[in-house]
Each structure stands twice: as C-alpha cells, then as structure tokens.
Amino acid sequence: MLAVYRHDLHKLRGRSHLDATETLAGQRVNESVPHGADRDAALLSRPGGHPEQTVPAHNSPFRLSLGTGAQVIDAVGIDALGDAVQEFVTIQDAATAHRAWLNSAVAAAMNESLYYPYTSLKYHVLLTAALLDAYRDGAAFSDLWLALDDPEDGLTPHRTVLHTDRVSLRLTPNPGDRPAAPLGDTPARSFADVWTRLPARPAGIDPDGDRRWRILDAQLRRIRAWSTALQYLEDCLSAGTVETDTDRTPIDGGWSDAI
Amino acid sequence: MGGARCASQSHTYHFPETKRRGGVVTQLQQVLLQLETPYYGHPYFITGHALYSAIARRVSPAVKQALQVSTGVFVPGEYGVRPEACSDPGYAGKLGTALPAVETYSDLFLLRDPAHRWLLDSRPRDAHNVQAVQDHGGRQVVAPECWFGKPAHHRNARRSVQWYVHAYFHAGDEDGILPIAETVLNSLQLGGGRNYGFGAVSLADTNLVELDDLSYDRLQDADDVVLELCSPYVLSSECPDADDQDVPWWWDVPEQGLRRRRTRLVRGDEEYDLQVVDHGQVLGYAGNAPVVTAVNGVLGVGTHAKFGFGEFRLRPTEGDRVAERVAAEGES
C-alpha cells in the first residue's frame, strides 16, 4: 500500500509522469498502481479518452479553488512543495502515509491533471488508495458504497477518503449500519448522484440547522468530479462556511510559472 | 408537437388555445428567467411559493386561485450537449440560455437536474455549475453571473457565465389561465432583500407544452423504471388545511430508508414547519401505470403541490442518469 501514496509524487513536484524520476531520496516512487485502481480513481474525477484543456488560461499543475477561483498555491507557498515531497517519501508505514495525505494542505494545492485544474491531487491519491485497498480485499468497484462515519470514531486506514471534525467519508463494500449510498456499476464522475442518494446528511453539517450547510449541500449536488467535490467540502469545512467570492471574479486564470 | 416555441428575442408570444382531455388540462407553460441581481433565498432552488407569490401579486384572483407553480431550478447559461434520451441529441450550443423544444417526456427535465449533466466536458463544467456565493453584510447570496479568466491573447480578457432559473406552471382543470403574460413575468423579484434590489429576474424565454402530445415511448418500452424525486415530498405540514401523508405505496423505498428533512413554508407573516422527503433521491417504482404516474409527477403529488412540492420523474433503469456508466458498460 505504500506505493500508492507515492505513485503521484511527481505531480507534487510539478512534473508529468513521463518526466518523473523512479527514485526519490533512495525510495521507489511513481510506480504504477495495481488492479487498475489509479485508472478507476481518475474516471471518478475526469472524463475518459483524450483529455482537453478545460481552462486554457491555466495550463498549470496548481489547483484552482472552486469557491474563490484563486490558485491555492499562493496561500500555501511554493517552498512547502519540496518539504511535503520529502515528508511523503520518508514515511515507511502505509497507515502513516494515509494519515499524512488526509491531513496534507500542500497536496491540496495541486491538481490531478493540468487539463482539469479544479481537480485535487490530494483526493485523487486518497480515492486511489481506498479503491486499491478494497480491490486487494476482493471487492469489485460495483460492490462499493460511500459511507458516512462518525468523525469521533476515528478513521479507517486507507478506506477513509475525507476526515475532518465534522465529516468523515469512507469507501467500503460493507457499510453495516452506517448511512451509505452505492457508487454504481462503473467508475464515473458521479459525486453529485451518490451524494443526493445518501439516506442522511453528516450530523456535523446538518442542513436543517444552518443555512451555511444548506448552501454547501446545494453546491455539492452540482459537482460531478469526486476529487473536486471532496476538496470543495474540505475547503468549506476549514473556512467554517461556504467560501465566498469577495471581488466578484471567482475564477481568474492566471498562469504562474513558479515551478 | 411540443407546443408553441417562442423566440426570446422578439418577446412576441403566440400561444395556442388551452387544451383539455377528459376535463383535465394537460398544458404546461415553461419559463426561463434570467437572474439580474444577486439572489438571497432558499439555497437549493427558488421555491414554488416564492415564484407563486411574486406572480400572484400581479394577476386576477381567478388566476391566483388556479395557478400551480413548480420550483425554480438554477441553470448556468453555458454550452452543452443534449443527452441521448432527448428528442434532438448532440451539441446544442448555449443550452442554458433558452428553453429546449419539448417533444419527449425526457425533454421536460433537461434543465431540472442541478447536476446539469449536459454541460460540456471540454470546459470546466463543475466550475460553471457551482454558484458564486457572495457575502453581503453577513448574508450569503448567489451572484447573477460568474466571471472567468481567458488566455491573455484573447481580445476580451474575461467572460462571464450568466445564471437562469427554469420553472413551469399549470392550472389544474381551469380554463383560460395560461399563459401568464410576458408583462407579468418580465420584472419579478424573488426571495429576500427585495427592498435592497435582490432577486430581480427578467423573462428570457417561455413556451407552452401539451403533455398529451409528448412521446413517452422510452417509459412504455422500459422493462423497469426508477423514480427520481425532483422536489421535496411533503409528509406533514403545520399549515391549517394540510393533511399528513404517508410515503405512497407505489414507491419502492431503498433498504437504507429515505432522507427526511425539515423545511418551512412562509405565507405572508406566518411560517409553517414541513417534514419532507428530501429531493434528489432515487427510489424503485412499484406501480404498474408508468405513463399516468409520469404525468402526475410533472404536475406534482401530495400536499402543497400547488407550490411545486412532490415533483418527480420516472427513468428507465437501463438509462442511468450518469451517462458514462451506461457507455462504460456498452464497451465491456
């Protein structure tokens, strides 16, 4: 499982897969992920087939925020990228790597593909890891559910794909008594569909109790790409509210050549 | 087929006579409203009651009495592709800025799913489809348009995506109610903060649809159909004259149960609590008359259907609402 958390480290360094190095600090990185988990996770957030540049003004590895339109790296700082790569590559335990990705702000500053700058590298890697772990246990994609966990119950190694003090989401073939909705027969940009089918809303963002969470719930019903939606959810939770655009220019496609 | 199509540019609408079958009016008036100023109100959609109240102030008591109004679904005025289930599938140019021609039952719902699956993959579809939320003195409102950057070599450095609202009206078994005139629809104000200029809309397009004339072939030919709830279904209402309702017998509820919500209906100075089944959920259909049920779903079922509650669509199970799933299965 450690390899899955290292398979996209080249993207944290702003490199394409072809330009990627095979080792970093003596550790093997950028290995292909078994069981097609990387491909399936990609299909959760991007269309299949030949990619098209969706934001021509932003041909860049830096993620654009869905809420503010800004490129997130400006707040994180370019210098943090090298430190994050160094941290990820020195972790020798897969469960520790999972926690590090769940908590990483730096991985959230990068997109999973230059062509789709609103996607999030962080959630692509976490979704890939959850799929791989489930496939290794014999589950097929069509067996999987998105389950709502109680954040106080802690996280499940590799399977928890988003974890905050208000919301904890997990992919699993056995949701048990947790509220859950099936992911469907094949991987697709289906976040909005699965979210609207959940039999409950997370208690930490109960829309009945707070207009902020109603706005957030309404926005999540509009987003199809999984990594984009999970990242938007995390960003709103850390802001404590739905992110607002103050200058009325939510999306500014300024290409930065900092890497 | 499909009722009168009206050019939005000319703002001259020619409507046919209202049509009856067996004493039941089967005519809808679709409207597409353009958001002109920020909107402060219900986050999921513009409530049927907000639309109804804005119109009711400007029509005769008879129209007010008969008029039934759907919820108003927010629609980005963006380029798109009509899906296979629609009558004219394929690239559709700027799809969200005018009403689609309605020839099949599926066409009615093209603009009524907040996920707006018709948005082009070659553009940043999720960024186009989330609303730009603005803070006005502590109130979170949605902007009428959203600005996007363009490559530096473009002559105009920025472009915007304009937001619209799709809704439809019907009039039960009353004659001569529809269409609601352009002059009534052209300068409505919706939601809160209207004294501050919020919630202004203009009429972008309207047309009439004869439910009898639509094709329901896909439903009739389907072995199995599912039911997708497009607006909340009322289980109980504090309103004086409203009955509590059970989940209908012809709903096949998933094992995990249904997501229930609390919402409010504001009538004048009074606020009433409602318990509802939340919209967006998908259930099995356990009835045996899909076409009749489908028409009922368009008109709305249950308490407060007058204000757009209880709207649903039926969908053949072989036509997953996530089109890529169907395509992927076809390949394997």
Side-chain angles (χ1 to χ4, degrees), chain A residues 54 180 183 185-186 189 193 196 198-199 208 211 217 219 221-222 224-225 241 244-245 248-249 251, chain B residues 41 44 117 121 124 126 129 131 133 140 147-149 158 256 259 261-262 278-279 321 324-325 329:
Chain A
T54 55
L183 298 193
D185 291 338
T186 55
R189 286 164 297 154
D193 298 83
T196 57
L198 281 168
D208 283 349
R211 187 166 184 271
D217 182 23
Q219 297 278 51
R221 294 168 188 231
R222 303 178 172 282
R224 291 180 62 200
T241 187
T244 51
D245 129 51
R248 301 197 180 202
T249 54
I251 290 124
Chain B
Y44 296 97
R117 277 153 248 277
D121 281 345
D126 287 332
N129 199 33
Q131 294 188 295
V133 179
Q140 289 186 320
W147 288 94
F148 289 77
R158 297 201 305 162
Q256 286 239 340
R259 187 174 70 247
R261 291 280 312 281
R262 223 173 54 235
D278 199 11
H279 67 288
R321 62 179 175 172
E324 301 140 87
R325 288 178 181 150
E329 274 165 23

Side-chain angles (χ1 to χ4, degrees), chain B residues 15-327:
Chain B
F15 293 104
E17 289 299 303
T18 302
K19 187 171 177 176
R20 274 173 178 272
R21 184 186 63 174
V24 179
V25 174
T26 59
Q27 193 176 55
L28 302 182
Q29 180 180 3
Q30 290 196 107
V31 293
L32 192 69
L33 304 170
Q34 180 173 332
L35 267 187
E36 300 286 352
T37 60
Y39 163 76
Y40 176 57
H42 192 75
Y44 296 97
F45 42 74
I46 294 185
T47 63
H49 191 263
L51 279 163
Y52 174 85
S53 306
I55 295 166
R57 286 191 278 270
R58 311 173 71 173
V59 294
S60 71
V63 174
K64 191 175 165 180
Q65 173 73 26
L67 186 66
Q68 307 209 27
V69 178
S70 77
T71 57
V73 179
F74 295 108
V75 179
E78 247 292 319
Y79 297 88
V81 175
R82 274 189 289 268
E84 277 303 313
C86 285
S87 52
D88 185 18
Y91 179 69
K94 271 211 168 179
L95 208 159
T97 58
L99 290 170
V102 178
E103 294 178 6
T104 70
Y105 169 70
S106 301
D107 293 336
L108 281 177
F109 296 95
L110 178 62
L111 300 180
R112 294 197 65 75
D113 179 347
H116 293 302
R117 277 153 248 277
W118 47 266
L119 286 164
L120 289 185
D121 281 345
S122 57
R123 295 164 78 84
R125 57 150 350 273
D126 287 332
H128 287 165
N129 199 33
V130 295
Q131 294 188 295
V133 179
Q134 299 176 337
D135 193 297
H136 279 260
R139 291 191 175 91
Q140 289 186 320
V141 303
V142 296
E145 60 189 350
C146 185
W147 288 94
F148 289 77
K150 266 187 171 181
H153 61 268
H154 278 229
R155 193 165 55 87
N156 300 311
R158 297 201 305 162
R159 66 185 177 86
S160 67
V161 172
Q162 170 71 44
W163 281 87
Y164 294 80
V165 176
H166 178 268
Y168 59 87
F169 315 138
H170 62 100
D173 53 4
E174 290 290 324
D175 236 351
I177 303 298
L178 300 182
I180 303 297
E182 173 198 355
T183 47
V184 171
L185 298 174
N186 206 12
S187 51
L188 300 175
Q189 265 193 288
L190 305 165
R194 297 194 295 277
N195 290 345
Y196 302 97
F198 287 167
V201 296
S202 61
L203 180 63
D205 201 357
T206 181
N207 63 22
L208 287 175
V209 174
E210 302 292 341
L211 285 179
D212 281 357
D213 291 348
L214 302 183
S215 162
Y216 299 88
D217 289 353
R218 280 170 49 83
L219 282 183
Q220 267 163 333
D221 297 345
D223 293 332
D224 204 7
V225 297
V226 291
L227 187 152
E228 193 176 308
L229 205 53
C230 304
S231 75
Y233 174 82
V234 178
L235 294 167
S236 70
S237 165
E238 280 187 342
C239 275
D241 45 5
D243 294 331
D244 288 357
Q245 311 221 45
D246 293 330
V247 168
W249 65 266
W250 38 273
W251 288 15
D252 193 358
V253 175
E255 203 175 307
Q256 286 239 340
L258 292 170
R259 187 174 70 247
R260 297 183 180 213
R261 291 280 312 281
R262 223 173 54 235
T263 188
R264 286 177 310 169
L265 184 65
V266 184
R267 270 182 174 173
D269 296 334
E270 298 287 332
E271 281 189 17
Y272 302 101
D273 269 346
L274 310 181
Q275 297 288 336
V276 299
V277 178
D278 199 11
H279 67 288
Q281 299 181 85
V282 178
L283 329 161
Y285 172 60
N288 52 16
V291 175
V292 175
T293 308
V295 171
N296 288 338
V298 174
L299 304 179
V301 296
T303 304
H304 301 320
K306 184 176 176 66
F307 307 128
F309 287 93
E311 175 192 338
F312 63 85
R313 77 175 285 187
L314 297 182
R315 197 192 282 272
T317 42
E318 59 265 34
D320 196 304
R321 62 179 175 172
V322 184
E324 301 140 87
R325 288 178 181 150
V326 181

